[in-house]
Amino acid sequence: MQKLMVCMKRVVDYNVRVRVKPDGGGVMLDGVKMSLNPFDEIALEEALRIKERVGTVEVLVVSIGVADTQQQLRTALAMGADRAVLVQTDTAVEPLIAAQTFLALVKKENPDLVLLGKQAIDDDANQTGQMLAALWDRPQATYASKVEIKGSAVQVTREVDAGLETIEVDLPAVITVDLRLNEPRYVKLPDIMKAKKKPLEVTSLDALGVAAGQLIKTVKTDPPPQRQKGVMVKDVAELVGVLKQKGLI
């Protein structure tokens, strides 16, 4: 094994309370803290652990997005990735376009294994990994909670409805990771400084031969329903009194 490729996405930080635009045309992003998609961060951590076990393996992180996505890729480099590639675009990228873009990078980089999160926490589509494997015509293992390299194959324990399922697929392959696979490491200040000197290539969809397009149209975005405030009562008699006051009985 010589190269691992980790596909990552820039999303609204999971600690941020998302607000819907007044016109319902999406969520507000101006001034909002952005971070690496947590599932993709787990995928990167697993790639780094494989590198530590196997030895001389290059870990490449790739992403698609606006110029500011370089900040998140620098975080990935600080975690331990060797190199990064940003496919810069101001257009919202849907799962199929993302899969086609990652396929173009796969053909260019020839990784032995591609890892990514099972889904992104913004659209929750859970499609990109599967589409990439289909376009690449290579095996896939989804919802991974354990990954073991077995020579020219990889053994993956998957989380399924009935429990756990263990499968083995030949390399190269695509793996999408689940929440319980690992806990990502903390980034230390010296690593952040070192990451500034690591190579980060910026390219475009046109350079990769991928045509940006819109296949999905968002008709409307609604905020989640607000939970109604209830009235705390100590006993049944007090409950009856409250109901009478409200004219409900």
Side-chain angles (χ1 to χ4, degrees):
M1 177 173 289
Q2 297 180 334
K3 186 183 296 185
L4 302 172
M5 189 172 100
V6 183
C7 306
M8 316 199 77
K9 187 176 184 180
R10 179 178 187 258
V11 298
V12 175
D13 188 89
Y14 66 91
N15 287 312
V16 172
R17 184 173 181 178
V18 177
R19 293 179 297 168
V20 176
K21 293 179 180 178
D23 62 358
V27 299
M28 299 177 65
L29 299 178
D30 293 341
V32 175
K33 181 183 178 182
M34 307 294 285
S35 301
L36 288 171
N37 178 46
F39 289 104
D40 297 338
E41 200 172 358
I42 292 170
L44 174 57
E45 174 64 29
E46 192 62 25
L48 297 174
R49 294 187 185 190
I50 292 174
K51 177 181 179 178
E52 292 168 354
R53 293 194 299 265
V54 175
T56 55
V57 177
E58 181 185 32
V59 176
L60 167 67
V61 290
V62 300
S63 188
I64 312 166
V66 297
D68 287 344
T69 306
Q70 292 187 39
Q71 299 175 11
Q72 284 68 46
L73 287 177
R74 288 295 178 191
T75 299
L77 292 171
M79 286 181 65
D82 300 295
R83 187 162 57 91
V85 176
L86 170 62
V87 182
Q88 187 171 318
T89 177
D90 293 327
T91 305
V93 178
E94 298 172 359
L96 180 58
I97 304 301
Q100 292 171 339
T101 305
F102 291 143
L103 176 65
L105 291 170
V106 162
K107 291 180 177 179
K108 179 181 177 182
E109 298 288 345
N110 295 313
D112 300 284
L113 181 63
V114 177
L115 297 104
L116 62 164
K118 69 172 184 178
Q119 64 194 71
I121 62 172
D122 51 3
D123 57 14
D124 283 328
N126 184 16
Q127 296 175 346
T128 304
Q130 293 89 327
M131 288 179 173
L132 173 59
L135 293 172
W136 192 16
D137 195 25
R138 294 304 305 167
Q140 61 176 292
T142 56
Y143 311 114
S145 61
K146 186 177 181 181
V147 177
E148 294 182 87
I149 304 299
K150 303 276 188 179
S152 61
V154 56
Q155 184 173 291
V156 178
T157 300
R158 304 177 61 242
E159 295 195 1
V160 295
D161 291 340
L164 299 176
E165 175 187 61
T166 301
I167 64 173
E168 187 172 288
V169 296
D170 294 330
L171 296 173
V174 176
I175 294 178
T176 71
V177 307
D178 215 327
L179 189 65
R180 281 164 286 278
L181 177 59
N182 60 52
E183 184 175 343
R185 65 194 66 188
Y186 289 103
V187 177
K188 300 176 182 177
L189 182 59
D191 297 324
I192 295 175
M193 301 306 294
K194 292 178 183 177
K196 294 180 179 180
K197 298 181 180 180
K198 291 184 177 181
L200 194 162
E201 176 189 350
V202 179
T203 184
S204 65
L205 293 173
D206 290 339
L208 295 174
V210 179
Q214 185 179 26
L215 302 176
I216 303 171
K217 180 180 179 181
T218 301
V219 178
K220 186 179 180 183
T221 303
D222 290 317
Q226 296 294 319
R227 184 167 57 183
Q228 294 183 352
K229 295 182 179 180
V231 179
M232 298 296 294
V233 294
K234 297 178 181 179
D235 52 35
V236 175
E238 186 176 350
L239 174 61
V240 171
V242 170
L243 295 175
K244 284 183 178 179
Q245 289 178 358
K246 294 180 176 294
L248 299 176
I249 59 174

